[in-house]
Amino acid sequence: MSYRGMAWPWGSWESCGRRLGDGPWSNKVAMGQESWVRLGGGPWGSGVAMGHRCGRRSGEEPWGRGLAMGQGQEWNRARPHSFVAGVIHPWRVSAFERLLWRACRGYLVASFVEMPEPMEDPATGETITWVIFLISYWGEQIGQKIRKISDCFHCQVYPYPESEASREETMNGLHSQIQDLSLVLEETEQYLAQVLDKVAVALPTWRVQVQKMKAIYLVLNQCSFDVTQKCLIAEVWCPVRDLTQVQDALRQGSYKSGSSVECFVQRIPTSESPPTLIRTNKFTAGFQSIVDAYGVASYQEVNPAPYAIITFPFIFAIMFGDVGHGLLMFLFALWMVVYENSPSLRQASNEIWQTFFEGRYLILLMGAFSIYTGFIYNECFSKATVIFPSAWSVATMANHSSWSSAYLATHPTLTLDPNVTGVFRGPYPFGIDPIWSLATNHLNFLNSFKMKMSVVLGIVHMGFGVLLGVFNHVHFQQRHRLVLEFLPEMVFLLALFGYLVFLIFYKWITFSAADSLVAPSILIHFIDMFLFTSNAGNLPLYRGQVAVQTVLVVLALASVPVLLLGTPLYLCCRRRATKTGHHGQVATEEQEPLLEGQEAGNSVNTTKEDVESGGHSPDAEHLDFAEIFMHQAIHTIEYCLGCVSNTASYLRLWALSLAHAQLSEVLWTMVMRNGFVGLSYVGGVVLVPVFAAFAVLTVAILLVMEGLSAFLHALRLHWVEFQNKFYVGAGYKLCPFAFAVDTGE
Amino acid sequence: MAYGGLTVPIIVMSVFWGLVGGVLPWLVPKGPNRGVINTMLVTCAVCCYLFWLIAILAQLNPLFGPQLSNETIWYLKYDWP
């Protein structure tokens, strides 16, 4: 009786797994085990029972021990025996056997056989090759012992009927049950797959719906119940321009939801400071975000972002100026802009990529301006381009000074003298002359040029910042500040630093190589101007310079007390006038914007409580004057000292552009030029990895590192040096409820 | 190209950036973005013109000339006009 030929549906049992529930499955396992027990136990058991009859015991029976069979013959003649059948974990077999033997002293016959195929343990889920055991014993007590022991060893015990026929019956019953159950499991699995497929299609919609509902409920939670407990009331900020839209929307909403009571909106007066809403489109959003990163504009103050759209990339480009690098940056940003609607670009999970993508228009403009400044600096991957012929004629100089080949051989470097006619023929029309990139003293010239350029651009930028403050003064109806703050600030800036700009331009225009030996130093003149001294070796730039400078310094110094005391005294006088006139509420109202506006002196972002300073009681006047005076004093000191330090701070434009130029030159001479050394075909092959190295280093060092560095410094210049002059930035943003998915989530 | 000193370049650049900053703003079509675009045009014109002006004025009257290596001089003597 061979059982090995039987095929069981093992495969489907494994795949059904636990998710179909332990019920039918573990039943199946149990039945499987039982059926194995039955099947295996069959021949042996019947053999024992009939052992005394059949003389033949074949050796091919995998079961049975010789001892058992031998004993069987004796037993059946004498006593009735019982069976215990079950399944045990294979690791416990030897211990079980030993214990049985010791406990029952050989009054039993135990046989163990492994299942041909492993089955899954319903408790732990591992596939184990169980061992089936059949114990034949006689005597009640032994039987009880055996059962207790098998209990201890956590064996699954199955009932084992005596007769062959009942065993066959049970087997058939088990088979049919197993088949039924496997059918049920199959059907369930198919059904489950169908349901999951349907859900997978609908799941994204459900998820979005759930998120929307959650968002709505979050907002509704912020509303409060009215007296009747039937409606929700919410206090909202709404732009005046959109008020009709809001009313329309509420009306539509009430109509669509079919409610009997209509929703309505009503304007209420408040003394709170409103939030700031600046409408942006996809282009301006990037620039507005870099301004907002420093501080959201106070309610209705002038917004520096529209100017920053151009000045920020421009200042970046001054520090980054290189045609080649600018072109690479521009193309990268162009690719991002052209494919900005592609979902793979938009929904990338990488945060760094998202940052670059959000600023794609910023990078586009930065690249474009870098190309322009690169042409002006005449640098394309650190090489100069000769668009127009150079203004310096080497041939003329060589002819004039008889630079023969022999002469050249003995002198490693020679300088062109602009005093010689024909050597210098005029300024290069667009940018820096290409001869300077070949000169060994090019840094002498470039440093002077770039330092002066940084100072000039810085002073212009700062003057522009002060000018923007005028918009604030006019808008907030504080015309006294035009005379008492804007005017002294402008006078101070222009008298000292505007004069410096004038000196720079004047020296450029009037002093040439003819008087190069006696050319005055602007820096020393500037220092002397403040100290009211004079240096004998430093010739004046123009006649009457000392007198002019004295006047300017006196003017600047005179503007300081006006700035310091003007506004406080004016306000004091005005309040006294109104108090004697009518015990005014007017004064307190006007205090609000005044105190808000005076935060212009602080460069650190003020907190909300400073803004909501409205509602001072009219009796704390003395204290108010002290506070106003203090604010104005801080503002004055910060402005005057700031003028000097911020002008110097703009020298970073020079520093970074020098660093960029030097880095790219190093990369060229040390990396790329070595690829051109070999002039053979081998050299051509060598050029490929050399170029690869050059390209990688260019992108990593010059584009990414220098780009980020220039970006950071341009940002600092905007946030501190420029916005110091007019920006308060103490507002908070309007955060309207919107279903648009935030890219951050 | 005959060097005319400062006159030709300054006229060309002044006219160009003057067009960009002074004439183009009038040609921008009316729309919500007109203000921003005009601001951008004017700012761009001012910045770029100023930058170019600084570069050319710095080279107008050089106080010293470039110092070249003898190899460069030997080559440029014949190559550059």
Side-chain angles (χ1 to χ4, degrees):
Chain A
M1 189 154 149
S2 161
Y3 55 87
R4 291 199 186 269
M6 293 279 211
W8 289 96
W10 298 108
S12 57
W13 291 3
E14 256 73 285
S15 63
C16 290
R18 290 179 179 287
R19 48 189 170 85
L20 296 176
D22 283 339
W25 184 80
S26 54
N27 278 351
K28 226 176 158 184
V29 170
M31 276 184 267
Q33 291 174 339
E34 207 181 326
S35 60
W36 271 116
V37 167
R38 288 289 140 75
L39 205 48
W44 191 79
S46 52
V48 168
M50 304 186 297
H52 67 286
R53 267 178 261 145
C54 326
R56 185 171 58 87
R57 280 269 64 98
S58 58
E60 65 228 24
E61 282 289 346
W63 290 87
R65 301 190 181 144
L67 175 65
M69 295 307 120
Q71 284 180 337
Q73 293 186 350
E74 292 174 22
W75 292 340
N76 291 319
R77 264 179 278 146
R79 307 178 177 118
H81 52 275
S82 324
F83 291 95
V84 171
V87 189
I88 186 175
H89 197 280
W91 296 346
R92 305 197 191 107
V93 169
S94 44
F96 188 49
E97 253 186 301
R98 244 179 288 137
L99 192 57
L100 281 176
W101 180 251
R102 288 195 196 125
C104 310
R105 292 176 184 273
Y107 282 97
L108 57 80
V109 176
S111 179
F112 297 87
V113 101
E114 254 188 34
M115 269 198 210
E117 283 172 12
M119 287 181 69
E120 210 173 310
D121 178 4
T124 60
E126 343 164 0
T127 31
I128 310 170
T129 318
W130 299 94
V131 171
I132 310 173
F133 66 87
L134 187 63
I135 303 177
S136 169
Y137 64 93
W138 68 100
E140 263 316 303
Q141 287 172 347
I142 305 264
Q144 280 172 13
K145 267 196 211 168
I146 293 176
R147 276 181 218 280
K148 260 200 204 144
I149 293 173
S150 21
D151 239 349
C152 282
F153 277 84
H154 305 290
C155 312
Q156 267 288 64
V157 174
Y158 295 101
Y160 192 79
E162 301 287 322
S163 64
E164 182 77 20
S166 56
R167 281 203 289 264
E168 288 279 343
E169 244 180 76
T170 336
M171 280 279 292
N172 293 332
L174 281 176
H175 282 338
S176 53
Q177 272 187 36
I178 286 174
Q179 270 176 13
D180 284 340
L181 274 180
S182 49
L183 203 66
V184 168
L185 284 172
E186 249 179 66
E187 296 273 313
T188 319
E189 198 191 338
Q190 269 178 27
Y191 177 67
L192 193 70
Q194 273 178 17
V195 170
L196 285 177
D197 277 337
K198 284 203 197 119
V199 169
V201 169
L203 190 62
T205 334
W206 289 353
R207 199 178 279 148
V208 169
Q209 275 180 347
V210 167
Q211 279 179 345
K212 280 189 178 178
M213 290 201 291
K214 263 175 76 172
I216 294 177
Y217 276 110
L218 277 175
V219 171
L220 286 179
N221 279 343
Q222 293 175 343
C223 307
S224 50
F225 279 108
D226 76 332
V227 221
T228 63
Q229 293 286 320
K230 284 194 191 147
C231 324
L232 288 171
I233 303 186
E235 284 185 4
V236 296
W237 287 108
C238 171
V240 174
R241 217 189 306 175
D242 294 341
L243 206 55
T244 43
Q245 252 185 343
V246 168
Q247 283 165 339
D248 275 341
L250 282 174
R251 211 175 305 133
Q252 264 191 21
S254 328
Y255 174 69
K256 276 197 184 159
S257 69
S259 71
S260 51
V261 183
E262 220 181 64
C263 311
F264 61 92
V265 66
Q266 204 179 28
R267 273 181 91 154
I268 51 175
T270 176
S271 63
E272 267 183 38
S273 178
T276 315
L277 170 68
I278 299 178
R279 295 180 208 260
T280 55
N281 54 29
K282 67 182 178 187
F283 176 73
T284 55
F287 302 97
Q288 188 65 51
S289 69
I290 60 174
V291 170
D292 285 345
Y294 176 73
V296 178
S298 301
Y299 185 58
Q300 291 192 335
E301 76 164 339
V302 69
N303 179 22
Y307 311 100
I309 296 179
I310 294 292
T311 58
F312 179 80
F314 178 67
I315 295 215
F316 171 89
I318 296 178
M319 295 188 267
F320 194 76
D322 189 302
V323 173
H325 304 149
L327 191 64
L328 288 175
M329 196 179 255
F330 181 77
L331 290 175
F332 171 62
L334 195 65
W335 166 71
M336 279 199 289
V337 166
V338 167
Y339 289 107
E340 67 183 354
N341 288 323
S342 115
S344 62
L345 282 186
R346 226 168 232 285
Q347 284 153 18
S349 54
N350 191 356
E351 254 190 55
I352 296 182
W353 164 258
Q354 277 292 92
T355 317
F356 278 116
F357 185 72
E358 297 279 308
R360 56 196 183 279
Y361 287 104
L362 194 59
I363 300 177
L364 189 74
L365 283 187
M366 280 165 23
F369 274 102
S370 298
I371 299 177
Y372 179 78
T373 56
F375 274 119
I376 301 261
Y377 287 151
N378 216 343
E379 288 210 2
C380 179
F381 292 113
S382 87
K383 294 280 120 196
T385 50
V386 188
I387 305 175
F388 302 98
S390 172
W392 293 82
S393 169
V394 180
T396 319
M397 186 71 192
N399 290 338
H400 175 268
S401 305
S402 347
W403 286 349
S404 62
S405 301
Y407 187 79
L408 286 177
T410 49
H411 291 80
T413 59
L414 289 164
T415 312
L416 297 178
D417 186 1
N419 275 320
V420 174
T421 34
V423 172
F424 174 67
R425 293 177 299 197
Y428 194 71
F430 189 76
I432 304 284
D433 201 298
I435 199 158
W436 287 108
S437 73
L438 301 168
T440 45
N441 65 343
H442 70 287
L443 279 182
N444 286 6
F445 171 73
L446 280 179
N447 281 352
S448 159
F449 158 67
K450 285 185 179 173
M451 273 200 270
K452 292 179 179 171
M453 167 205 71
S454 314
V455 167
V456 170
L457 287 174
I459 293 170
V460 169
H461 202 209
M462 287 196 293
F464 181 56
V466 177
L467 212 60
L468 282 182
V470 171
F471 288 121
N472 275 342
H473 299 325
V474 168
H475 178 85
F476 289 120
Q477 309 289 338
Q478 292 168 344
R479 292 181 196 260
H480 62 272
R481 292 182 76 179
L482 281 175
V483 176
L484 295 171
E485 280 188 29
F486 168 69
L487 203 58
E489 281 177 359
M490 247 350 209
V491 165
F492 186 83
L493 185 69
L494 290 180
L496 297 179
F497 299 97
Y499 179 66
L500 179 63
V501 171
F502 164 75
L503 284 181
I504 292 174
F505 278 97
Y506 187 80
K507 185 175 171 189
W508 274 342
I509 294 175
T510 51
F511 281 81
S512 70
D515 29 24
S516 61
L517 286 172
V518 295
S521 156
I522 295 181
L523 201 55
I524 303 205
H525 274 299
F526 199 58
I527 295 172
D528 285 341
M529 180 168 120
F530 283 106
L531 300 177
F532 292 106
T533 57
S534 71
N535 214 324
N538 210 11
L539 292 180
L541 281 144
Y542 55 90
R543 231 179 25 178
Q545 180 178 359
V546 176
V548 170
Q549 281 179 184
T550 320
V551 168
L552 287 174
V553 172
V554 165
L555 212 60
L557 288 178
S559 66
V560 174
V562 175
L563 186 60
L564 180 67
L565 298 169
T567 318
L569 285 176
Y570 172 83
L571 286 172
C572 215
C573 292
R574 197 169 59 171
R575 203 175 320 122
R576 237 173 259 150
T578 51
K579 217 170 59 158
T580 52
H582 32 267
H583 306 269
Q585 304 275 26
V586 182
T588 46
E589 271 174 11
E590 284 179 329
Q591 261 180 25
E592 260 177 75
L594 171 70
L595 283 168
E596 282 177 322
Q598 279 181 333
E599 298 308 315
N602 301 341
S603 50
V604 174
N605 201 3
T606 50
T607 56
K608 214 165 131 191
E609 54 208 19
D610 287 305
V611 173
E612 292 172 345
S613 52
H616 276 266
S617 55
D619 20 86
E621 276 165 25
H622 223 51
L623 187 64
D624 279 345
F625 177 69
E627 212 177 303
I628 296 169
F629 182 70
M630 190 57 58
H631 276 287
Q632 198 64 16
I634 294 174
H635 173 71
T636 308
I637 295 174
E638 196 165 328
Y639 179 79
C640 298
L641 292 182
C643 267
V644 180
S645 74
N646 294 346
T647 307
S649 184
Y650 274 94
L651 285 173
R652 70 186 69 220
L653 296 175
W654 159 57
L656 264 101
S657 81
L658 180 68
H660 189 90
Q662 291 299 99
L663 271 175
S664 75
E665 196 179 312
V666 159
L667 217 52
W668 175 270
T669 46
M670 302 279 174
V671 179
M672 193 65 189
R673 214 169 57 163
N674 293 333
F676 298 131
V677 168
L679 294 172
S680 59
Y681 286 109
V682 175
V685 173
V686 163
L687 187 59
V688 175
V690 167
F691 176 74
F694 174 73
V696 165
L697 285 174
T698 297
V699 170
I701 296 180
L702 288 172
L703 285 183
V704 172
M705 189 188 85
E706 276 286 313
L708 284 174
S709 169
F711 181 91
L712 179 79
H713 284 282
L715 207 57
R716 179 257 157 65
L717 282 177
H718 273 77
W719 281 354
V720 179
E721 275 77 18
F722 174 59
Q723 289 179 348
N724 228 348
K725 304 286 179 286
F726 67 99
Y727 193 60
V728 176
Y732 60 106
K733 250 189 172 158
L734 178 75
C735 305
F737 177 73
F739 277 138
V741 173
D742 225 351
T743 48
E745 290 156 34
Chain B
M1 174 178 148
Y3 269 92
L6 195 56
T7 49
V8 173
I10 207 168
I11 290 175
V12 169
M13 287 300 260
S14 306
V15 166
F16 176 73
W17 289 116
L19 274 170
V20 168
V23 176
L24 278 189
W26 297 104
L27 303 177
V28 173
K30 283 206 204 310
N33 297 325
R34 189 160 192 241
V36 175
I37 295 178
N38 284 351
T39 311
M40 280 171 62
L41 284 171
V42 173
T43 323
C44 182
V46 169
C47 288
C48 295
Y49 181 70
L50 186 61
F51 195 57
W52 167 84
L53 189 67
I54 293 173
I56 197 170
L57 286 181
Q59 298 177 97
L60 192 58
N61 298 313
L63 293 175
F64 57 92
Q67 185 186 43
L68 303 167
S69 74
N70 50 2
E71 287 178 6
T72 316
I73 296 174
W74 190 90
Y75 183 75
L76 289 182
K77 215 165 57 156
Y78 300 105
D79 195 62
W80 280 8

